Amino acid sequence: MGKNLTKRNVDFSKWYNELVIKADLAEHSDVRGSMVIKPYGFAIWENIKDILDKKFKETGHVNAYFPLLIPKSYLSKEADHVEGFAKECAVVTHYRLKNAEDGSGVVVDPTAKLEEELIIRPTSETIIWASYRKWIQSYRDLPLLINQWANVMRWEMRTRLFIRTSEFLWQEGHTAHATRTEAVAEAEQMHDVYADFAQNYMAIPMIKGVKSDSERFAGALETYTIEALMQDGKALQAGTSHFLGQNFAKAFDVKFADKEGKEEFVWATSWGVSTRLMGALIMAHSDDEGLVLPPALAPFQSVIIPLFQKDETVNEKLLAEAEVIAKRLRAKGIRVQVDKDDQKRPGFKFAEYEMKGYPTRIVVGPRDLENGTVEIARRDLKNKTSVNNADIETTIEALMTEIQENIFKKAVDFRTENTTEVKTYDEFKKAIKNKGGFVVANWDGTEQTEDRIKSDTKATIRCIPLEGSKADGPCVYSGNEAKYKVIFAKAY
RNA sequence: CGGGGUGUAGCGCAGUCCGGUUAGCGCACCUGGUUUGGGACCAGGGGGUCGCAGGUUCGAAUCCUGCCUCCCCGACCA
């Protein structure tokens, strides 16, 4: 645990990498692009997972588990889908190792070659739809609303802790419906679930919108996305929900008999969020002292630190008092930890809990015992106040709400400051180059314009906002009639 | 896939150019003691196939050849 975290304005990327390590969230494994998620990082993910899982169940979904390995032939059944993922698939070709003849270790046994190679899932549409084919015969079997929590693997060229690792954890919902309307409604519903979660728990404001043709999920008719803005001015796609039409039903021949006994292909959706959310959480709120976590997701919302002295009887009292406070807070549903370590000095501990983003810190020293007080520090504002012992619960409870709201507001303000509406391409280029952030502009709706802007400025269309205003002038690039007013940004 | 870097104790690094006792340093760890209201200190201690393979040499972490790893930046990417 070092004390020198690179400053954000010096090298944001370096800051991020160091922070993930120093806050003890994750570390690199020996395999390129894959990471070990450490207990503290995993605790945050578990909170994300638990809350979302509850929301999925409240909206009528059930969990299941489908296999990691997918027959290679499955992948090619949906043309756009294979096109989108083929380049980044890990392939299992053998099922046995043997001792090397020169004693140097183990080697692949060439006689154990698989008849049909297996793909490590980059996503599970294909294997799930192969099952759905068997499960769906009648309109009575619909809708089928299934989610799975799983790991997937995409052999990305360049990786980044949490933001893009070769293996990552996620959830993927896969639903089947009798009608187009119902499937679209499902995709939209989950889009809302994601946006609400991001806003209310992660404290990150999201732009809700749909993807342009070129950014759409491989095999989807419509991709709903939530887009967040990070502190370095780059956008991060935080969650997507896809209306898949009948593409997968047709590819996997999944038909049902409707009420009239007529055979129809089912309508599908899929939706997912991943450990990438961790990256969003880190880059949206944290500062040069370390992680800043919203109380709603922090593994511990407070830590109680007794200031141990050389006098053992005093220490016993301090620890006893800390335990009493912890008990009182737990009774109010606060997640709290007592730091019993008597070796490290207070200053070290303060810095460490700040690095790890604990929303509040409660310090109990001999003076507090005498005065009947504690010192409460909040992470987001980095201030400290003395609080009467009797007021601890109400103070901490109020702080949970305040901190949650404050960091959300801060993120909203940041986004507002870093959103620029432009009318001319000169303004556009200047905004992207000098300021970054979201750039709002009219777009003629063509892929050609999108491509040109991308190769010119590296900015892409993040989304066509659902609640944005209509096009109100010519396309910022081509000068032709604009179809939409969209959000551009450089993205992760 | 291009560019850059890297591999020596759990972690971070020095040593390599210019080969030579027992391979160092900081942090961490263990023992004892003093400390504890913003990153403590003293004393003692343990821990190493120097990325891998081959070569040169009386002698290789150091020189030569080949290979590999991982990281960072970029291109790529729902």
Side-chain angles (χ1 to χ4, degrees):
Chain A
M1 195 76 40
K3 66 171 95 171
N4 300 318
L5 182 61
T6 297
K7 304 271 179 275
R8 284 165 297 174
N9 59 14
V10 172
D11 186 340
F12 191 84
S13 183
K14 202 170 172 203
W15 165 83
Y16 175 81
N17 282 320
E18 287 177 7
L19 177 52
V20 170
I21 304 295
K22 292 184 180 190
D24 217 20
L25 300 173
E27 63 187 24
H28 291 284
S29 85
D30 287 339
V31 177
R32 192 195 75 93
S34 59
M35 66 174 169
V36 176
I37 304 177
K38 298 186 75 178
Y40 190 63
F42 199 76
I44 301 172
W45 174 243
E46 280 181 307
N47 285 341
I48 291 175
K49 185 180 165 183
D50 289 349
I51 294 160
L52 281 173
D53 195 64
K54 200 163 157 246
K55 288 181 183 294
F56 297 158
K57 284 169 182 162
E58 280 167 6
T59 43
H61 303 87
V62 291
N63 285 331
Y65 187 78
F66 295 86
L68 170 74
L69 298 176
I70 300 176
K72 194 177 70 179
S73 58
Y74 280 27
L75 212 70
S76 49
K77 290 193 180 182
E78 213 289 331
D80 290 338
H81 191 68
V82 67
E83 165 106 23
F85 287 108
K87 285 172 293 185
E88 48 193 50
C89 285
V91 186
V92 178
T93 56
H94 292 76
Y95 57 84
R96 193 192 300 134
L97 299 173
K98 62 174 188 178
N99 288 321
E101 277 163 25
D102 61 4
S104 62
V106 286
V107 293
V108 171
D109 184 341
T111 66
K113 196 168 189 309
L114 290 169
E115 253 336 276
E116 179 175 2
E117 289 151 346
L118 300 170
I119 312 299
I120 297 177
R121 61 183 167 212
T123 179
S124 304
E125 271 80 2
T126 57
I127 196 152
I128 287 179
W129 280 88
S131 287
Y132 282 7
R133 179 185 179 177
K134 292 182 270 182
W135 297 356
I136 298 168
Q137 277 92 40
S138 151
Y139 72 92
R140 294 177 207 276
D141 298 322
L142 298 172
L144 190 55
L145 305 173
I146 293 179
N147 176 63
Q148 84 164 345
W149 291 94
N151 58 341
V152 289
M153 176 162 277
R154 296 179 190 176
W155 212 268
E156 303 281 3
M157 297 224 173
R158 180 132 145 61
T159 57
R160 266 169 96 73
L161 290 167
F162 288 117
I163 298 299
R164 184 174 290 104
T165 46
S166 352
E167 180 189 359
F168 56 94
L169 304 182
W170 76 344
Q171 59 69 216
E172 44 181 327
H174 296 275
T175 68
H177 306 264
T179 66
R180 177 188 190 106
T181 314
E182 206 183 286
V184 169
E186 164 76 6
E188 288 176 350
Q189 171 184 243
M190 300 324 287
H191 187 217
D192 291 342
V193 166
Y194 289 154
D196 291 346
F197 173 77
Q199 174 154 324
N200 297 328
Y201 293 86
M202 298 179 71
I204 304 176
M206 293 287 166
I207 304 236
K208 291 164 75 174
V210 295
K211 287 291 186 186
S212 64
D213 291 2
S214 67
E215 296 272 328
R216 193 175 294 140
F217 176 72
L221 297 188
E222 188 84 279
T223 289
Y224 298 86
T225 179
I226 51 174
E227 298 283 327
L229 188 60
M230 302 293 103
Q231 289 185 70
D232 61 346
K234 285 170 83 173
L236 187 103
Q237 174 181 304
T240 47
S241 178
H242 314 289
F243 168 56
L244 300 172
Q246 294 174 309
N247 288 347
F248 284 90
K250 284 176 181 163
F252 286 86
D253 193 30
V254 185
K255 292 180 202 160
F256 72 102
D258 66 14
K259 285 181 185 171
E260 284 78 45
K262 211 172 73 190
E263 273 207 325
E264 301 277 4
F265 285 111
V266 303
W267 298 85
T269 81
S270 70
W271 30 275
V273 295
S274 70
T275 34
R276 176 179 248 208
L277 287 180
M278 298 282 294
L281 197 59
I282 298 160
M283 288 196 287
H285 302 307
S286 301
D287 62 22
D288 292 342
E289 268 68 55
L291 203 56
V292 174
L293 291 175
L297 294 176
F300 291 103
Q301 297 166 316
S302 196
V303 58
I304 305 174
I305 305 175
L307 295 175
F308 293 120
Q309 312 293 310
K310 61 180 164 187
D311 185 342
E312 271 306 319
T313 59
V314 174
N315 289 350
E316 277 170 31
K317 282 183 197 161
L318 289 170
L319 188 57
E321 179 59 17
E323 295 287 6
V324 168
I325 296 169
K327 212 172 159 189
R328 282 165 54 193
L329 288 170
R330 284 183 191 126
K332 296 287 182 185
I334 305 287
R335 297 188 292 275
V336 57
Q337 184 182 14
V338 176
D339 187 332
K340 296 175 185 170
D341 187 306
D342 60 356
Q343 295 300 307
K344 295 190 178 72
R345 292 164 63 90
F348 180 89
K349 292 182 181 181
F350 298 165
E352 187 169 82
Y353 290 114
E354 277 157 15
M355 182 65 80
K356 296 180 93 169
Y358 282 53
T360 58
R361 175 180 78 224
I362 301 172
V363 174
V364 193
R367 272 190 337 241
D368 293 305
L369 282 188
E370 277 175 39
N371 303 337
T373 57
V374 295
E375 179 189 84
I376 296 182
R378 57 187 279 186
R379 176 64 181 85
D380 59 335
L381 301 182
K382 283 172 263 180
N383 63 15
K384 301 188 269 198
T385 44
S386 187
V387 172
N388 281 327
N389 193 297
D391 302 331
I392 295 173
E393 289 103 318
T394 49
T395 307
I396 293 291
E397 277 183 308
L399 278 177
M400 292 301 105
T401 313
E402 267 179 55
I403 294 172
Q404 186 80 26
E405 283 170 1
N406 180 51
I407 62 177
F408 178 67
K409 185 179 177 299
K410 221 170 135 185
V412 171
D413 290 346
F414 177 83
R415 191 181 71 180
T416 306
E417 282 162 28
N418 290 281
T419 300
T420 317
E421 181 153 355
V422 300
K423 291 291 174 209
T424 70
Y425 196 50
D426 268 353
E427 288 173 349
F428 183 98
K429 284 190 285 194
K430 213 175 282 172
I432 290 289
K433 188 161 178 256
N434 300 337
K435 200 172 166 193
F438 287 146
V439 176
V440 184
N442 291 307
W443 170 52
D444 61 15
T446 69
E447 197 165 330
Q448 195 183 39
T449 294
E450 205 178 349
D451 283 349
R452 293 255 172 88
I453 290 177
K454 185 178 178 183
S455 55
D456 218 15
T457 66
K458 288 181 185 154
T460 51
I461 296 178
R462 299 324 302 151
C463 68
I464 304 161
L466 292 178
E467 286 162 17
S469 43
K470 297 223 158 38
D472 57 359
C475 171
V476 73
Y477 182 82
S478 67
N480 295 335
E481 191 189 337
K483 239 174 137 176
Y484 308 104
K485 188 184 275 191
V486 300
I487 312 262
F488 285 89
K490 285 192 208 168
Y492 276 100

